[in-house]
Amino acid sequence: MADIALVTGAGSGIGRHTALALAKAGYHVALCGRRAVALTETKALADDASTIADFPCDVTDEAAVDRLFSDIEKTFGRLDVLFNNAGVNVPTIPFGDVTFDQWRTVIDINLTGAFLCARGAFNLMRRQTPQGGRIINNGSVSAHVPRPGSAPYTASKHAITGLTRSISLDGRPYNIACGQIDIGNAASEMTAQMTAGVPQADGSIKPEPTIDVKLVADAVVNMAKLPLTANIQFMTIKATTMPFIGRG
């Protein structure tokens, strides 16, 4: 049977393109997202929809995530790859004006959701036969340096790096590999404003270059296809001329 991959946030953007790329690479793909209609739209874009199953789920809901992994185990019998991708952002806002609800929304989805899904995948991977699998967390260049007015998002992505390292270490006895892909300016719904102009560290507003999101999807597939004896611990893929190196 083909390897099984789960993609969260699969209803749009990076998640959708990665799910389709994994399916094209021969994986059976489980789609996870809050919006069932969006998952159906992703599935309809596949060359062979029979290799894709959709599992609507709110990754911030512990009980719902537990059901998700139970359903995956019942449907496929195992899980080989998790692309932990679901995430949100809030508009650029000075730190002192960040509301608690804005903070909580970003942390709940980007960090707590990633933890819940990684934990579910980890537990399934260590009890299945053969044991093991791979978890790929979607970080960001914001896991390294912030944009102005991005405290909730930046904090969540710095935390993802710590989560990645901890899972990578704790997964060793169970043949579970964990790596992180840090993405800069992939063209998607979340980066649509880049071409119009976004705040820079010097206070100016400038447009920034983007890259085709399919390049990111291909990079995730390359990480996923490695044997479990090898791991890409951290990968950064970005638009070559985006203001990342030297930011700030």
Side-chain angles (χ1 to χ4, degrees):
M1 184 179 179
D3 282 355
I4 310 302
L6 168 63
V7 178
T8 68
S12 63
I14 291 169
R16 170 174 286 178
H17 282 85
T18 301
L20 296 172
L22 285 164
K24 193 169 185 177
Y27 288 83
H28 285 190
V29 181
L31 308 177
C32 168
R34 287 177 295 173
R35 298 175 295 140
V37 171
L39 298 182
T40 300
E41 291 170 351
T42 298
K43 186 175 180 179
L45 294 170
D47 293 336
D48 181 3
S50 69
T51 65
I52 296 182
D54 48 321
F55 297 87
C57 177
D58 179 353
V59 298
T60 69
D61 183 332
E62 183 180 17
V65 173
D66 287 346
R67 287 193 299 272
L68 167 67
F69 284 93
S70 176
D71 289 343
I72 287 172
E73 187 170 16
K74 289 175 184 175
T75 302
F76 300 108
R78 63 179 293 107
L79 179 66
D80 299 286
V81 176
L82 164 66
F83 181 39
N84 219 356
N85 167 72
V88 296
N89 202 354
V90 292
T92 299
I93 185 169
F95 178 73
D97 298 329
V98 176
T99 69
F100 178 65
D101 283 344
Q102 288 172 321
W103 173 268
R104 184 170 56 185
T105 295
V106 174
I107 297 300
D108 282 355
I109 296 174
N110 294 11
L111 181 55
T112 302
F115 157 73
L116 290 172
C117 290
R119 186 183 65 175
F122 190 100
N123 286 333
L124 176 51
M125 289 171 177
R126 70 174 173 177
R127 70 172 175 266
Q128 65 195 11
T129 304
Q131 190 179 63
R134 186 180 306 277
I135 296 168
I136 302 171
N137 290 325
N138 185 347
S140 168
V141 293
S142 291
H144 302 272
V145 289
R147 290 185 176 279
S150 66
Y153 187 79
T154 298
S156 74
K157 293 304 184 178
H158 273 64
I160 288 295
T161 298
L163 184 67
T164 297
R165 289 179 169 142
S166 290
I167 295 168
S168 184
L169 181 59
D170 291 353
R172 287 178 186 174
Y174 310 107
N175 205 26
I176 297 171
C178 183
Q180 179 172 317
I181 183 165
D182 295 324
I183 302 161
N185 291 11
S188 68
E189 292 88 343
M190 284 186 70
T191 59
Q193 77 276 17
M194 294 291 179
T195 54
V198 291
Q200 304 295 311
D202 63 2
S204 64
I205 304 292
K206 295 179 181 177
E208 292 188 11
T210 60
I211 57 172
D212 190 333
V213 68
K214 291 181 180 179
L215 298 173
V216 176
D218 289 342
V220 175
V221 172
N222 288 335
M223 294 175 75
K225 290 177 70 175
L226 286 174
L228 290 176
T229 52
N231 186 40
I232 294 175
Q233 191 68 65
F234 293 98
M235 174 191 288
T236 300
I237 181 169
K238 67 179 189 67
T240 302
T241 57
M242 74 167 289
F244 168 58
I245 301 299
R247 184 189 288 183

